[in-house]
Each structure stands twice: as structure tokens, then as C-alpha cells.
Amino acid sequence: MSRDTSPNDWPRHGGQPGDMLARLGLPTGQPIRDFSANLNPLGPPAWLDARLPTLWQGIDRYPDPSYRAARQAIAEAEGLDIGQVLLTNGGAEAIFLAAALHAGRRAVIVQPTFAEYARACRHYGLAINELFLASDFSLDERRAGEAMREANVMFLCRPNNPSGTLVPRTQVARLLEAGRAHGTCLVVDEAFIDFVDEPAESLVSLLAEHPHLVVLRSLTKLYAIPGLRLGYLLGSPETIARAAERQMPWSVNAPAAALVAPLLADGDFVTRTHAWLRQELERLTPTLTHLGFDVSPTRVNFYLLRDRYQPQATDALLRFLASAGILARHTHNFPGLDGRWLRLAVRSVDDNDRLLAALAAWRQEHGAGMP
Ligand SMILES: Cc1ncc(COP(=O)(O)O)c(C=O)c1O
């Protein structure tokens, strides 16, 4: 493998501009607009600045080990019992706990997707099968059913990182029936579901009938608080009890736990997020297509992009954008993409305009209609 295509040679996650610029051999001090992390550019909510200092007052005490108040707020927001909710240190801890529940068994991971499912499975000694999405990023239900028969647990990211595509709820409901028939659990990571302005797509109502469903959520993406670390795991009371046994004590710090209720109560922030995202996607997608780029049919705040005429030139495009002050996320460590696409966040109007200008410059320099 050449230096440019070895997955281990690239930063494992987005949002690491220094590492990425160094990897590209570009000066690390230059100002850069970071499109490589998929956080909400409207966040964190403005009221958080004033609230944080008051939260420090409780740091001379341990947090409530059962996080009752935070879990109650989540249960009320989701219409569940408190016993169906486990508070976690970001969605990342929820992923590792979901894998821990099946330690030593066999998982199937729907690829290309977030690398941490595979890492969590390896950590807990799960053997890994891979099931690949179709080229339009849809899930072939027949193949998914077959894959479930051969595994104890399936990991599905919905909406999917990195494509932004959403396996419809109706399809998940049929997968759950297949899972019931084969005794296979389904872990659905919904870290980005709050960006989808369609409450009917929520899987929460399926939890009552399907004790083998586990839903993972993150608060860090929507509210742009990855430094605070907040997420949760939803499942049957039995699953939650088993996951809680495997969780480190006091895994979530007290200031973060105290923010769960006010964050979930900020409906206005979510409404503004949906309005911004709708407007920017409606503006960006046709323009990108018109400029000669393929774009994944995303439902959320990031998408995959490649040059329709020169799909083999993705690393050159990454470097070109970085030289223009725009950092995209490589896809070298997404099996099935292997660097052939770039992932870009939907950012502010101003940032998106800069991106469009840089892509128009690329098109001018590299032309269209080449093989
Ligand atoms: C699909 C997905 N799930 C979970 C996470 C972890 O998020 P958190 O910051 O809540 O740990 C990420 C982070 O990028 C992600 O992309």
C-alpha cells in the first residue's frame, strides 16, 4: 500500500486539524475552517456559558452514582421508564457497553461506518463479520437478514456516519423481526438522529416489543459539547441493568450530568438547528451536484463527496481544500470507502460559501468530463 492509502497512517477521527495538516505536510499554524468534525455549528447553546460556573460548585461531592435526575429527564423526553435509561460518558461509552454485553461472541457491523464499533468489539473479544451497504448507501434487507442469522449482535448506525443516510424505521422494524427469529440483538447508534426533523423516525416506540433492541444516543453532536461527554443507552430494564453492572462507577462527571435536563428542555435550540440544516442542505446539495460532485443522500449535518469526473483524485482534492484553508475528513479508515470519498460537515452559511468557492476553483483547475 502506498503511503497515501494506508488507513493507519491517517488520524482516526475528524476534528484534529493539527494532525491532519501535519499528515498533509502543510503548515499547522495556518487558519483553517474545520469541516472534518460533524458538530452543530449553532452550538453550544448560548446559555451554557453562564451556567457552567455555577456547576463547579458541586465538584466537591461525588455525583449520584445512579444519575437519577438526569435519567429521569431522558426518560421523560423519550417517553420511557427510568429503568430503560443508562447515562453514559458520551455515545462512545455507550458503544463499548453495548459490545460488553456480547463479549466473546460474534458481531456483524454494517459498513462503511464509525470505526469505534469494530474497536469496541475487538476490545471485548467479539469476532466481526462485515455487511456492506449498497453503492447508494441503502441496506439490502435480504442480505441483512442472512447476516443476522450468523451473528449474535448487529451494529447499525442510523443516520450513518459517514454517509448521513438513514435506514428507514420500517426497515429496522423488519430487521428486528429477523433478529427475533434468529435470537440476534440489534444495536442502533442514533448519535445523529436529533438532526433529522421527523419524530416518526424514532425507534423508541419499538423498544417495548423488542427487548433485543438497544438504542445509543449522544448529546455531544447536537449541542456541540464533545468536551463535556454525554450520551445514553436505551433498552429493556434487564439490558440496562446488565449494562450498568459493566459500567465504571461515576462514569459521567457531575457538571455534565446536571446539564442533561436543561439541554433536553431547550426545544428552541433544536428548532433553530432544523431550520438552519434544512436551508443549508437545500442550498448546498444542488450547487455541489451542479459543480460536478457526487454527494451522498444525507439527512443530517454531514455528507460524503467525491469528484464525479475524477473519483480517483480524492486525496488530491483533500490536499487542495486544505491548502485553501478547508479541512475535510478523509475516509481511509471506513471499510468500503477506503479513501475514495471525503466527509464534509454542513457548517455556517459563511463557511459553506468558502467551501463552494474552493470547490468551484478545483473544478476550474481540474476540468470536467475527464475519465
Ligand atoms: C456515529 C457516532 N456515534 C458515537 C459517537 C461518539 O460520540 P460521543 O462524543 O457522544 O462519544 C460518534 C462520534 O463521532 C459518532 O460519529
Side-chain angles (χ1 to χ4, degrees):
M1 247 181 202
S2 80
R3 191 174 137 68
D4 267 358
T5 54
S6 167
N8 295 332
D9 209 16
W10 295 84
R12 203 167 73 214
H13 294 293
Q16 300 169 44
D19 290 355
M20 195 62 212
L21 290 171
R23 170 68 184 78
L24 294 171
L26 294 170
T28 50
Q30 67 169 0
I32 192 104
R33 295 179 194 237
D34 189 0
F35 284 70
S36 73
N38 37 20
L39 301 171
N40 186 348
L42 303 191
W47 52 262
L48 206 54
D49 263 1
R51 185 71 67 96
L52 277 174
T54 67
L55 296 174
W56 295 123
Q57 285 163 15
I59 61 167
D60 57 350
R61 290 188 302 279
Y62 279 91
D64 163 14
S66 73
Y67 299 104
R68 176 157 281 281
R71 286 169 54 231
Q72 186 60 40
I74 295 166
E76 279 167 22
E78 301 286 1
L80 294 171
D81 284 344
I82 188 170
Q84 293 180 274
V85 180
L86 186 69
L87 188 70
T88 60
N89 191 273
E93 189 190 26
I95 292 168
F96 273 69
L97 287 172
L101 291 172
H102 301 277
R105 307 183 81 195
R106 180 169 291 274
V108 56
I109 299 179
V110 181
Q111 295 281 14
T113 198
F114 188 46
E116 295 300 326
Y117 312 127
R119 225 164 64 92
C121 287
R122 285 196 295 273
H123 183 82
Y124 287 105
L126 279 90
I128 300 175
N129 294 349
E130 290 182 311
L131 172 70
F132 286 88
L133 294 171
S135 57
D136 62 356
F137 303 105
S138 64
L139 181 68
D140 180 323
E141 223 168 292
R142 188 186 54 78
R143 290 178 49 236
E146 284 168 11
M148 283 186 113
R149 196 166 40 219
E150 284 160 24
N152 306 105
V153 56
M154 172 182 270
F155 283 83
L156 172 70
C157 186
R158 170 188 191 271
N160 187 36
N161 177 8
S163 58
T165 48
L166 184 76
V167 172
R169 181 185 183 278
T170 46
Q171 208 177 16
V172 178
R174 289 194 292 273
L175 283 184
L176 284 167
E177 290 307 331
R180 201 200 302 269
H182 305 313
T184 308
C185 293
L186 186 60
V187 174
V188 184
D189 182 356
E190 295 197 332
F192 294 96
I193 195 74
D194 293 321
F195 288 94
V196 178
D197 187 7
E198 229 176 298
E201 278 296 341
S202 168
L203 295 187
V204 165
S205 60
L206 296 173
L207 285 166
E209 295 165 58
H210 295 286
H212 56 302
L213 169 65
V214 168
V215 177
L216 315 181
R217 294 277 175 81
S218 164
L219 297 180
T220 76
K221 307 294 184 182
L222 181 73
Y223 299 103
I225 49 164
L228 270 178
R229 320 296 307 129
L230 271 177
Y232 52 92
L233 188 150
L234 305 173
S236 70
E238 295 71 30
T239 304
I240 295 300
R242 286 173 50 230
E245 268 171 34
R246 289 160 175 80
Q247 188 177 30
M248 271 200 291
W250 305 293
S251 149
V252 180
N253 67 75
L259 280 172
V260 171
L263 286 171
L264 294 180
D266 192 349
D268 178 54
F269 182 77
V270 179
T271 308
R272 283 192 296 116
T273 299
H274 289 162
W276 149 77
L277 185 59
R278 196 177 320 115
Q279 177 192 309
E280 282 307 283
L281 280 180
E282 277 172 12
R283 190 172 80 92
L284 280 173
T285 320
T287 314
L288 293 168
T289 308
H290 179 73
L291 282 171
F293 294 93
D294 290 330
V295 179
S296 61
T298 183
R299 302 286 303 273
V300 291
N301 59 322
F302 53 86
Y303 52 91
L304 289 172
L305 174 138
R306 67 177 178 194
D307 187 331
R308 188 181 310 139
Y309 306 110
Q310 295 152 76
Q312 77 291 353
T314 305
D315 280 341
L317 177 59
L318 174 70
R319 195 178 296 270
F320 180 91
L321 289 174
S323 305
I326 285 172
L327 191 66
R329 166 72 158 92
H330 73 86
T331 59
H332 284 284
N333 61 341
F334 287 102
L337 298 185
D338 310 309
R340 283 176 282 116
W341 294 76
L342 295 179
R343 193 192 70 198
L344 289 156
V346 181
R347 294 190 49 84
S348 65
V349 175
D350 183 42
D351 281 355
N352 294 333
D353 280 344
R354 292 293 182 109
L355 171 69
L356 290 175
L359 288 172
W362 163 270
R363 176 59 61 230
Q364 202 148 37
E365 221 171 271
H366 293 261
M370 291 163 65

mmCIF file of all heavy atoms in Angstrom, residues 7 119 231 245 262 276 280 289 292 335 339 355:
data_model
loop_
_atom_site.group_PDB
_atom_site.id
_atom_site.type_symbol
_atom_site.label_atom_id
_atom_site.label_comp_id
_atom_site.label_asym_id
_atom_site.label_seq_id
_atom_site.Cartn_x
_atom_site.Cartn_y
_atom_site.Cartn_z
ATOM 1 N N PRO A 7 -4.624 3.027 5.960
ATOM 2 C CA PRO A 7 -5.575 3.638 6.886
ATOM 3 C C PRO A 7 -4.946 4.029 8.212
ATOM 4 O O PRO A 7 -5.338 5.021 8.820
ATOM 5 C CB PRO A 7 -6.637 2.553 7.082
ATOM 6 C CG PRO A 7 -6.205 1.355 6.324
ATOM 7 C CD PRO A 7 -4.988 1.693 5.531
ATOM 8 N N ARG A 119 -13.701 -1.339 17.069
ATOM 9 C CA ARG A 119 -12.726 -1.270 18.164
ATOM 10 C C ARG A 119 -13.330 -1.831 19.458
ATOM 11 O O ARG A 119 -12.693 -2.578 20.186
ATOM 12 C CB ARG A 119 -12.286 0.186 18.378
ATOM 13 C CG ARG A 119 -10.775 0.307 18.551
ATOM 14 C CD ARG A 119 -10.330 1.721 18.374
ATOM 15 N NE ARG A 119 -10.877 2.588 19.398
ATOM 16 C CZ ARG A 119 -10.269 2.865 20.554
ATOM 17 N NH1 ARG A 119 -9.100 2.345 20.848
ATOM 18 N NH2 ARG A 119 -10.834 3.680 21.415
ATOM 19 N N GLY A 231 -23.896 11.002 26.828
ATOM 20 C CA GLY A 231 -24.663 10.142 25.934
ATOM 21 C C GLY A 231 -25.560 9.252 26.769
ATOM 22 O O GLY A 231 -25.585 9.375 28.004
ATOM 23 N N GLU A 245 -24.092 -2.868 35.289
ATOM 24 C CA GLU A 245 -23.113 -3.668 36.042
ATOM 25 C C GLU A 245 -21.719 -3.560 35.440
ATOM 26 O O GLU A 245 -20.714 -3.718 36.127
ATOM 27 C CB GLU A 245 -23.495 -5.151 35.956
ATOM 28 C CG GLU A 245 -24.364 -5.625 37.078
ATOM 29 C CD GLU A 245 -24.852 -7.034 36.774
ATOM 30 O OE1 GLU A 245 -24.102 -7.818 36.149
ATOM 31 O OE2 GLU A 245 -26.001 -7.323 37.149
ATOM 32 N N PRO A 262 -31.523 20.573 31.486
ATOM 33 C CA PRO A 262 -31.667 21.830 30.736
ATOM 34 C C PRO A 262 -31.388 21.699 29.242
ATOM 35 O O PRO A 262 -32.026 22.364 28.432
ATOM 36 C CB PRO A 262 -30.659 22.777 31.404
ATOM 37 C CG PRO A 262 -29.876 21.986 32.367
ATOM 38 C CD PRO A 262 -30.593 20.709 32.626
ATOM 39 N N TRP A 276 -31.862 25.747 10.220
ATOM 40 C CA TRP A 276 -30.557 26.008 9.585
ATOM 41 C C TRP A 276 -30.170 24.854 8.654
ATOM 42 O O TRP A 276 -29.770 25.066 7.512
ATOM 43 C CB TRP A 276 -29.479 26.190 10.676
ATOM 44 C CG TRP A 276 -28.119 25.737 10.240
ATOM 45 C CD1 TRP A 276 -27.264 26.398 9.413
ATOM 46 C CD2 TRP A 276 -27.507 24.477 10.539
ATOM 47 N NE1 TRP A 276 -26.135 25.634 9.199
ATOM 48 C CE2 TRP A 276 -26.257 24.454 9.869
ATOM 49 C CE3 TRP A 276 -27.874 23.362 11.315
ATOM 50 C CZ2 TRP A 276 -25.388 23.375 9.949
ATOM 51 C CZ3 TRP A 276 -27.004 22.283 11.394
ATOM 52 C CH2 TRP A 276 -25.787 22.295 10.723
ATOM 53 N N GLU A 280 -29.531 25.036 4.622
ATOM 54 C CA GLU A 280 -28.190 24.838 4.050
ATOM 55 C C GLU A 280 -28.124 23.606 3.140
ATOM 56 O O GLU A 280 -27.455 23.632 2.117
ATOM 57 C CB GLU A 280 -27.142 24.746 5.163
ATOM 58 C CG GLU A 280 -26.768 26.093 5.739
ATOM 59 C CD GLU A 280 -26.347 27.089 4.664
ATOM 60 O OE1 GLU A 280 -25.228 27.006 4.167
ATOM 61 O OE2 GLU A 280 -27.168 27.949 4.286
ATOM 62 N N THR A 289 -23.851 19.333 -6.780
ATOM 63 C CA THR A 289 -24.135 18.450 -7.912
ATOM 64 C C THR A 289 -23.841 19.188 -9.215
ATOM 65 O O THR A 289 -23.216 18.642 -10.131
ATOM 66 C CB THR A 289 -25.622 18.014 -7.857
ATOM 67 O OG1 THR A 289 -25.867 17.487 -6.559
ATOM 68 C CG2 THR A 289 -25.951 16.968 -8.905
ATOM 69 N N GLY A 292 -20.378 19.290 -10.339
ATOM 70 C CA GLY A 292 -19.794 18.033 -10.806
ATOM 71 C C GLY A 292 -19.291 17.129 -9.695
ATOM 72 O O GLY A 292 -18.371 16.338 -9.898
ATOM 73 N N PRO A 335 -14.076 1.077 6.093
ATOM 74 C CA PRO A 335 -14.049 -0.041 5.144
ATOM 75 C C PRO A 335 -15.149 0.131 4.098
ATOM 76 O O PRO A 335 -16.281 0.479 4.416
ATOM 77 C CB PRO A 335 -14.335 -1.268 6.026
ATOM 78 C CG PRO A 335 -13.939 -0.851 7.400
ATOM 79 C CD PRO A 335 -14.200 0.627 7.484
ATOM 80 N N GLY A 339 -10.982 5.709 1.418
ATOM 81 C CA GLY A 339 -10.377 6.965 0.971
ATOM 82 C C GLY A 339 -10.973 7.533 -0.310
ATOM 83 O O GLY A 339 -10.554 8.598 -0.764
ATOM 84 N N LEU A 355 -16.424 26.967 1.160
ATOM 85 C CA LEU A 355 -16.237 25.619 0.602
ATOM 86 C C LEU A 355 -16.656 25.604 -0.866
ATOM 87 O O LEU A 355 -15.935 25.066 -1.729
ATOM 88 C CB LEU A 355 -17.074 24.611 1.406
ATOM 89 C CG LEU A 355 -17.146 23.220 0.796
ATOM 90 C CD1 LEU A 355 -15.792 22.521 0.878
ATOM 91 C CD2 LEU A 355 -18.199 22.360 1.487
#
